[in-house]
Amino acid sequence: MKPLTLAYSPCPNDTYIFYALAHGRSDTSGLRFAEPLLEDVETLNHWAMEHRLDVTKLSFHALGHVLDEYCLLRSGSALGRGCGPLLVAGKHLKNLSGKRIAIPGRFTTAALLFRMYAPACVDLVEMRFDLIMEAIRNGSVDGGVIIHEGRFTYGQMGLLCLQDLGQWWEETTGYPIPLGGIAARRSLGSECIRRIDGAIRDSLEFANAHPEQCLPYIRSRSQELDDEVVKSHIDLYVNDFSLDLGPDGLAAVAEFLRRGRAAGILPRTAMPLLAEEKP
């Protein structure tokens, strides 16, 4: 069997989860992985649309577009409470209609969440997530939806939080907010997919047991080098759902996709989320 192609983001939660797998320190159950590719999540979303990879991190928004080709894994996800994208601006905006709002990529969960929250706001500007706050400050856009480390640093740039979109989701649905997950190509077969899932879980369990060993790798890839910000990022986005989505996590993902389809943004499909489920 040829090595499996694998990609994830350089964000601290992903490099923490995949450190052991990428460095040969987790049980891969006889699987072989090629050298991992690290790219921003919107690039990974587009690669998933092109079916380029065997195993990939992607936004749950993007997952809704590729379920015919990929299934969701139980391990490796970013999902939880109090960890959603933030709508920020340089000043209070009383009405979003007619305002230019930056989103961190068309297929990010943040973009779909914002479109659910403010369907009348249609002047959306796609840009890389780490450029959004400066674009707000220089007046290129009126506001923006920020993700990743920006959640911890927007105040330092003099920006105001207009709406915690994760909080809005939680209050509206009662579910935790599903941000991103790990998907595997369905054509690999259920047994191979089960072993991939186990390898990712084992990698995360290694990181939880030896967090200090992961830090140099995490710092070498992170946009934010401040140790406290890196630690806060991992603490926020890596949790029990990352080990196993479980019934609550899977229900949250299913509801997110259902609402995306109801809004006419996601395509309808008969394919299930998991490899072991029948269409």
Side-chain angles (χ1 to χ4, degrees), residues 153-275:
T153 58
Y154 72 91
Q156 299 169 17
M157 299 188 70
L159 303 179
L160 303 173
C161 179
L162 304 183
Q163 177 65 54
D164 183 324
L165 294 173
Q167 180 182 18
W168 171 80
W169 166 267
E170 292 172 41
E171 292 173 350
T172 302
T173 69
Y175 287 113
I177 177 65
L179 300 170
I182 311 299
R185 196 188 297 275
R186 292 185 187 273
S187 60
L188 293 171
S190 58
E191 175 57 25
C192 181
I193 292 169
R194 184 191 64 78
R195 287 191 287 155
I196 294 168
D197 220 339
I200 294 171
R201 181 182 178 115
D202 190 72
S203 184
L204 176 52
E205 288 176 338
F206 179 94
N208 287 341
H210 310 282
E212 70 290 342
Q213 292 190 33
C214 309
L215 285 177
Y217 180 60
I218 293 168
R219 291 193 194 104
S220 72
R221 300 296 190 273
S222 178
Q223 293 278 341
E224 176 57 63
L225 298 180
D226 182 87
D227 283 350
E228 283 303 311
V229 172
V230 169
K231 182 179 184 302
S232 295
H233 184 116
I234 294 169
D235 289 345
L236 187 63
Y237 295 112
V238 181
N239 51 38
D240 289 344
F241 289 119
S242 305
L243 281 168
D244 191 316
L245 282 168
D248 289 345
L250 289 171
V253 175
E255 178 63 12
F256 184 76
L257 299 182
R258 186 194 70 78
R259 288 178 178 248
R261 291 170 189 141
I265 300 169
L266 296 180
R268 298 190 179 275
T269 178
M271 296 302 290
L273 280 174
L274 303 175

Side-chain angles (χ1 to χ4, degrees), residues 62-75:
L63 178 67
H65 289 277
V66 299
L67 277 173
D68 286 348
E69 182 75 17
Y70 289 93
C71 63
L72 178 64
L73 301 187
R74 292 179 177 273
S75 299

Side-chain angles (χ1 to χ4, degrees), residues 93-119:
L93 301 177
K94 295 181 180 180
N95 189 342
L96 294 176
S97 180
K99 300 295 191 296
R100 286 170 56 82
I101 303 297
I103 55 172
R106 177 183 175 188
F107 296 110
T108 58
T109 294
L112 178 50
L113 197 60
F114 178 73
R115 291 176 68 182
M116 292 178 183
Y117 170 73

Side-chain angles (χ1 to χ4, degrees), residues 40-183:
D40 69 276
V41 71
E42 183 67 350
T43 297
L44 299 181
N45 290 338
H46 282 278
W47 286 359
M49 304 286 183
E50 299 166 4
H51 307 159
R52 285 182 55 173
L53 300 156
D54 295 318
V55 184
T56 185
K57 171 70 176 283
L58 78 177
S59 301
F60 281 117
H61 179 182
L63 178 67
H65 289 277
V66 299
L67 277 173
D68 286 348
E69 182 75 17
Y70 289 93
C71 63
L72 178 64
L73 301 187
R74 292 179 177 273
S75 299
S77 286
L79 183 150
R81 296 186 182 275
C83 61
L86 305 179
L87 173 62
V88 302
K91 60 183 179 181
H92 288 290
L93 301 177
K94 295 181 180 180
N95 189 342
L96 294 176
S97 180
K99 300 295 191 296
R100 286 170 56 82
I101 303 297
I103 55 172
R106 177 183 175 188
F107 296 110
T108 58
T109 294
L112 178 50
L113 197 60
F114 178 73
R115 291 176 68 182
M116 292 178 183
Y117 170 73
C121 186
V122 296
D123 192 357
L124 305 180
V125 182
E126 298 176 36
M127 63 178 63
R128 208 173 66 202
F129 75 93
D130 55 327
L131 303 178
I132 289 178
M133 290 193 289
E134 182 56 37
I136 298 170
R137 290 214 309 175
N138 67 31
S140 300
V141 293
D142 299 301
V145 181
I146 59 171
I147 58 176
H148 302 324
E149 295 96 324
R151 183 180 182 90
F152 308 103
T153 58
Y154 72 91
Q156 299 169 17
M157 299 188 70
L159 303 179
L160 303 173
C161 179
L162 304 183
Q163 177 65 54
D164 183 324
L165 294 173
Q167 180 182 18
W168 171 80
W169 166 267
E170 292 172 41
E171 292 173 350
T172 302
T173 69
Y175 287 113
I177 177 65
L179 300 170
I182 311 299

